[in-house]
Amino acid sequence: MDFELTIIIPVYNEEDNLLRVQQELSGFMLHAKKKAKVLFVNDGSKDTSQKIIEEICSNTDAFEFISFDKNYGLSAAIKAGFDTANTSWVGYIDADLQTDPMDFNILLEYADSYELVTGVRANRKDSFVKNLSSKIANGIRRAFTHDGMDDTGCPLKIIRTDVAKKIPMFNGLHRFLPAMVLLQNGRIRQVPVKHFPRIAGVSKFHLWNRLIGPLQDCFAYLWMKKKYLNYTINRKG
């Protein structure tokens, strides 16, 4: 099959969500504006996630997986997905499905004009503390990166794969994908998308890694920006 979009789904102890993921993503693929497939990245789950993933993938070529030997974190899972993807576009959504896979079609409307299109969660259904800490963290990051993005933590994005593969990775970089695309002189856009409460599983983030972690990562980003190599070949002979 000539797939055009690989949707990365990082998985860490999401056994209660995976069958719903299969159902929702299968529904999206029937109506996707680009022919899509799913790539599960099992980030060292300790529950039955791997068994369920293998059962899902055994039934259709549109679902694939890679599995880590241990837990490396969200940034590593996304990076592994980028490195594995062989389609022209790569997307990303969380296994908790607090965002709607059908909204990938909203992002894809802008694919011809931008290298990265990210969702902005409208009317977020998270707790007051989670929303407040996310707002503060986004403000800190935006002050460092000047990327103009309001919600880089939104787990619904599409990126041109050749651009995604050039992004150098470090822990926490998933918050800086728009800024890293800008370093490649790429074009970025944010678009409002739906948001839902988590109905199964447990959030992997807390106050510490929503505030202190991103602040530390901002300094790592500034160092990387200073050292980042970006060039254009003008002529060849």
Side-chain angles (χ1 to χ4, degrees):
M1 296 185 183
D2 296 326
F3 294 105
E4 301 171 277
L5 169 67
T6 299
I7 298 174
I8 300 165
I9 303 182
V11 175
Y12 181 61
N13 297 340
E14 295 284 1
E15 59 186 4
D16 294 330
N17 282 314
L18 290 173
L19 294 181
R20 188 166 65 97
V21 167
Q22 178 189 22
Q23 180 181 5
E24 295 291 329
L25 268 296
S26 295
F28 162 71
M29 288 187 283
L30 292 175
H31 304 282
K33 293 186 176 181
K34 291 185 181 292
K35 191 170 183 60
K37 64 178 179 177
V38 168
L39 175 64
F40 291 109
V41 182
N42 183 12
D43 185 20
S45 295
K46 296 178 174 61
D47 60 3
T48 62
S49 290
Q50 180 61 30
K51 180 176 182 293
I52 298 171
I53 288 171
E54 291 181 15
E55 290 174 353
I56 293 171
C57 294
S58 68
N59 295 323
T60 172
D61 293 337
F63 287 83
E64 303 172 343
F65 76 87
I66 56 177
S67 183
F68 289 166
D69 60 335
K70 63 179 182 179
N71 177 241
Y72 289 96
L74 180 57
S75 291
I78 294 174
K79 175 60 172 172
F82 289 168
D83 291 343
T84 303
N86 57 6
T87 52
S88 57
W89 283 86
V90 61
Y92 154 56
I93 190 171
D94 275 352
D96 60 20
L97 292 184
Q98 286 192 258
T99 50
D100 185 352
M102 292 302 297
D103 282 351
F104 274 118
N105 279 334
I106 298 176
L107 307 187
L108 287 168
E109 291 178 8
Y110 301 91
D112 291 339
S113 302
Y114 298 90
E115 279 67 48
L116 177 146
V117 187
T118 181
V120 178
R121 290 167 285 190
N123 300 314
R124 286 186 63 173
K125 307 301 182 182
D126 291 321
S127 69
F128 172 79
V129 172
K130 186 174 181 179
N131 284 337
L132 180 61
S133 60
S134 179
K135 184 175 182 179
I136 294 171
N138 272 297
I140 293 171
R141 176 203 42 74
R142 193 163 50 245
F144 276 79
T145 65
H146 305 289
D147 60 10
M149 298 288 103
D150 297 315
D151 185 16
T152 61
C154 178
L156 195 78
K157 294 177 173 64
I158 59 167
I159 310 174
R160 221 176 65 199
T161 303
D162 61 330
V163 173
K165 288 180 181 291
K166 293 178 184 177
I167 296 175
M169 190 58 81
F170 57 84
N171 284 332
L173 189 70
H174 61 276
R175 305 180 184 96
F176 292 82
L177 293 178
M180 299 307 297
V181 171
L182 287 177
L183 288 184
Q184 297 183 46
N185 298 320
R187 299 160 297 175
I188 63 176
R189 177 162 183 143
Q190 57 184 3
V191 182
V193 297
K194 297 185 291 293
H195 189 246
F196 308 102
R198 175 185 269 270
I199 64 173
V202 178
S203 174
K204 312 306 185 293
F205 293 92
H206 47 73
L207 186 61
W208 171 266
N209 57 24
R210 285 198 195 97
L211 290 180
I212 305 301
L215 178 59
Q216 294 172 333
D217 296 338
C218 282
F219 291 104
Y221 165 79
L222 290 180
W223 178 88
M224 184 174 292
K225 181 179 180 180
K226 183 178 180 181
K227 301 292 184 180
Y228 190 78
L229 289 175
N230 190 32
Y231 60 87
T232 301
I233 296 174
N234 187 34
R235 299 176 65 183
K236 294 175 66 175

